[in-house]
Amino acid sequence: MLYEQASKSFLSIIVPVYNVEQYLEKCICSILGQSFRAFELILINDGSTDNSGFLCEQYAKKDRRIRIIHQENGGLSAARNAGIDIAAGEYITFVDSDDWIEPDTYELAVAFLQQNQLEVVCFDFYTVRNDKKHYRPMYDSDKIFKGNEALNDILKEKIDNSSVDKLYLRSLFEDLRYPVGRVFEDVALTYKVLAKAKRIGYLHKPLYHYVKRKTSIIGTSFSAQKRWDRFLAHQERLKFAESMSLEVYESCRVLAVRQALSVLTAHYVDG
């Protein structure tokens, strides 16, 4: 297969870690057990106060592909940015530390990427709630996007905004980083990465398991501040669509207005 030609530093897998000791082993094992082997695993211990940092160190002793950063808690954006800063792979991808992936995730994604000379590969995911899996594909079959098609589709939320269900050419992040101190950081950044890519494809396979738990950042109470962060992201997207004269400008405007109303509703309830 084409992926067997990949160098040892072909792919950097970035995993932010914060107080997830009960989930971390399943996540790391799903990565180390990949049929695709040419990767480095970057674990960013973002100021964990449980045994997560210790578990990272224990796994690093067993597998030389693992690199660890221990840093003060700065949030998901700061942790991902730290991983991007030291990534050695030609391509990068992200996995959240309470999620896991299928054993052939990167074998399939990298083969699809190389066969089609892509800079970004998007793939599907399972949403997991209370151990029950749900799957809703983005498209009906594999797809190679033309022109601004992928950019238009992510701005109107046909393509999922998440960072974790994609592989990216690392150089696309050269002047891009996640906004520190804000949630919905994916909504604020992923479209900018797709805007820079010239060759984007979609692999019609659910390869990622996205766990929705009540104690996650998004799963906790949807406060006015979180709604404000989401509105900021959509406001930025609207300005971007206007500056690029994109056909999805009206869709972006409608989404931004909805988020503004959501913020007002939250302030009214909190008040």
Side-chain angles (χ1 to χ4, degrees):
M1 285 187 175
L2 289 173
Y3 77 88
E4 292 174 343
Q5 301 171 12
S7 67
K8 292 182 179 179
S9 60
F10 183 82
L11 178 64
S12 295
I13 305 169
I14 299 171
V15 180
V17 176
Y18 178 69
N19 288 355
V20 285
E21 59 180 328
Q22 69 184 106
Y23 307 100
L24 188 57
E25 182 175 6
K26 185 171 186 177
C27 174
I28 293 177
C29 287
S30 75
I31 295 171
L32 297 181
Q34 288 292 299
S35 53
F36 177 83
R37 306 291 294 171
F39 66 82
E40 63 171 356
L41 171 56
I42 302 174
L43 301 173
I44 303 97
N45 176 29
D46 190 43
S48 296
T49 57
D50 64 0
N51 288 321
S52 295
F54 173 76
L55 290 173
C56 290
E57 292 289 348
Q58 293 301 108
Y59 275 100
K61 292 177 182 178
K62 301 175 184 178
D63 198 307
R64 290 182 296 177
R65 294 173 296 176
I66 297 178
R67 303 166 66 190
I68 303 174
I69 296 175
H70 294 285
Q71 63 183 32
E72 293 184 5
N73 180 249
L76 182 58
S77 289
R80 284 181 178 166
N81 291 342
I84 295 169
D85 289 343
I86 69 163
E90 182 181 356
Y91 285 80
I92 63 174
T93 189
F94 303 93
V95 179
D96 287 344
S97 53
D98 50 359
D99 299 336
W100 74 96
I101 54 178
E102 291 290 313
D104 57 355
T105 294
Y106 300 131
E107 177 182 349
L108 294 172
V110 171
F112 183 68
L113 179 151
Q114 292 184 323
Q115 288 164 1
N116 296 284
Q117 299 181 317
L118 304 175
E119 295 174 308
V120 178
V121 174
C122 310
F123 47 84
D124 288 323
F125 59 89
Y126 294 104
T127 300
V128 183
R129 291 186 180 90
N130 300 320
D131 295 325
K132 293 182 179 180
K133 296 196 299 186
H134 304 273
Y135 170 44
R136 187 175 67 180
M138 286 183 267
Y139 301 92
D140 295 330
S141 61
D142 294 350
K143 185 177 179 66
I144 306 299
F145 296 97
K146 299 178 181 178
N148 285 331
E149 187 179 6
L151 177 59
N152 287 328
D153 278 5
I154 195 169
L155 286 172
K156 64 185 180 184
E157 301 192 334
K158 169 67 175 174
I159 294 177
D160 186 73
N161 287 292
S162 176
S163 295
V164 296
D165 54 359
K166 300 171 181 69
L167 262 64
Y168 316 84
L169 185 67
R170 178 167 57 89
S171 62
L172 295 173
F173 284 84
E174 185 174 356
D175 58 348
L176 295 176
R177 292 296 185 272
Y178 290 93
V180 176
R182 287 166 54 180
V183 296
F184 293 101
E185 65 289 325
D186 295 343
V187 181
L189 184 75
T190 307
Y191 75 95
K192 295 180 181 179
V193 181
L194 268 59
K196 292 178 65 177
K198 294 180 175 63
R199 292 280 295 173
I200 302 170
Y202 161 75
L203 182 61
H204 180 59
K205 286 186 180 296
L207 301 174
Y208 191 96
H209 296 257
Y210 172 48
V211 178
K212 293 227 175 175
R213 53 190 180 95
K214 294 180 180 179
T215 55
S216 67
I217 294 174
I218 303 302
T220 52
S221 177
F222 200 26
S223 67
Q225 181 59 52
K226 292 174 183 176
R227 296 186 189 209
W228 176 254
D229 285 350
R230 188 165 187 172
F231 165 70
L232 283 179
H234 279 282
Q235 184 183 48
E236 292 163 0
R237 289 154 68 104
L238 176 62
K239 291 179 179 178
F240 177 83
E242 183 178 24
S243 68
M244 296 283 289
S245 299
L246 296 175
E247 62 185 51
V248 291
Y249 171 80
E250 183 60 26
S251 295
C252 291
R253 189 188 68 81
V254 170
L255 288 167
V257 169
R258 286 177 181 172
Q259 296 309 316
L261 292 173
S262 178
V263 173
L264 291 173
T265 300
H267 275 295
Y268 177 78
V269 172
D270 291 345

